[in-house]
Amino acid sequence: MLFWILVATLTAAVAAVLILPLMRAGEAPSSPHSHDIEVYRDQLDELKRDQDSGLIGSADAELARAEVARRLLAAGESDRNVAPAVSQRRGANRLAQAFVLLCLPVVGLCLYLLTGSPGVPAQPLAARLADPNGDINVLIAKAENHLAVNPNDGAGWDLLAPIYMRNGRIEEAVDAYDRAIRLLGPTPARLGGYAEALVVQSDGLVTTKAQEAFQQALTIDPNDPRSEFYLALGLKQEGKKEEALTAFNRLVATSPADAPWLPLVKQHVAELGGATSAAAPGNPSAEDVAAAESMTSGDRQEMIRGMVESLESRLKENPDNLEGWARLIRSHVVLDQRDKAAAALKEGLKTFPADGDGGKQLLALARELGIATDGVTQ
């Protein structure tokens, strides 16, 4: 019953706010000629008094009376022309007032009966917090109310932090994980959750602060896959491809075959070259060969590109590898990247001059593959 009383009160208040301007607008404005009409009537009375007292003759009084009457009639005619517009405006205001008083409450009531739940008993906030009935927002509000009174409840922050994370409230998740770590101590789960929230907060960048938390988690649990993955990702983002590839390969080797993170890890391995550190530069492993046989032509080309990139990075670190330069030149030709093949030939000749045995072998290979050698020895 209290609900309906409040609704009626609010409806009346809103209606009054809307009707008052309409009532003011509907008030009849004063006639623009009302003052003139009063003056002309006073003049007629004064003429009659002057005629009765003998101050003015009958002929002059008739002439003056006729002129005043003409002016009075003209003023009255102007007022009659204004009257229809005033009447029309009054009618529109009456319709607007009727709509506000009758239609708006009826429309609002119908909408509430259609979309609302008038039969549901009132549920104050305290009652909803006591019985959230699976509503995650109510659960979060309940936890926040508890922690506002008990800020040193580490278990509460530990419980709330991953809920914040799942609901996209990253700033609150970082703060909750930080409080849980300070109050309850570090664990791989808390440190990993805290660092992961920092990564999400920085749009996927594994920051120095996040790396420190992941490394601390690994000191507690050396086999924590989440920390291993993010640390390898951090190395990749820093451009340390060889170290990142080694870290990702180690994670692949130590993970169960059905681990849910394996596909993502293998994707990063492929992006970094797809070869383990034990393989020779650019040489596919037995696993790579087996995988290539089941690949589509597009996937196979992508794997070759990864191996070529890996070979290029290795030759930059150790250019004294004649077989590696020859393999890189041939690989670029296979990928129809002749400009890159020519560039690789030029880089290889910096280590193996054209007048030496190694340089002559590279030049002979280039001519065999149809690569122009003019100017590459300059």
Side-chain angles (χ1 to χ4, degrees), residues 148-230:
V149 180
N150 305 282
N152 293 325
D153 182 5
W157 293 112
D158 199 29
L159 175 67
L160 190 58
I163 298 176
Y164 277 147
M165 192 71 176
R166 286 194 296 270
N167 283 270
R169 298 171 61 174
I170 308 303
E171 300 285 345
E172 291 95 331
V174 171
D175 180 64
Y177 274 120
D178 182 57
R179 288 172 180 262
I181 291 170
R182 286 190 283 106
L183 292 169
L184 301 178
T187 65
R190 293 184 194 118
L191 290 167
Y194 170 68
E196 191 171 27
L198 289 174
V199 171
V200 176
Q201 187 182 41
S202 60
D203 296 324
L205 182 65
V206 185
T207 61
T208 303
K209 196 172 183 180
Q211 289 178 353
E212 292 173 353
F214 284 127
Q215 288 167 353
Q216 187 179 357
L218 282 178
T219 60
I220 301 173
D221 180 7
N223 297 317
D224 179 29
R226 174 166 58 176
S227 298
E228 290 183 353
F229 171 79
Y230 278 108

Side-chain angles (χ1 to χ4, degrees), residues 13 89 133 143 164 168 229 231 234 280 291 302 308 324 355 362 376:
R89 186 162 59 248
N133 196 24
Y164 277 147
F229 171 79
L231 288 174
E302 206 53 41
V308 170
D355 55 353
L362 292 179
V376 295

Side-chain angles (χ1 to χ4, degrees), residues 24-70:
R24 293 194 188 99
E27 292 176 357
S30 61
S31 170
H33 302 284
S34 59
H35 177 69
D36 294 341
I37 290 172
E38 292 297 326
V39 171
Y40 295 148
R41 286 175 178 169
D42 289 342
Q43 287 179 353
L44 289 174
D45 293 338
E46 187 177 356
L47 282 172
K48 186 177 181 181
R49 288 194 299 271
D50 289 346
Q51 185 180 4
D52 292 342
S53 62
L55 295 176
I56 186 171
S58 298
D60 291 337
E62 287 297 327
L63 289 174
R65 190 178 293 109
E67 177 62 22
V68 172
R70 183 186 64 79

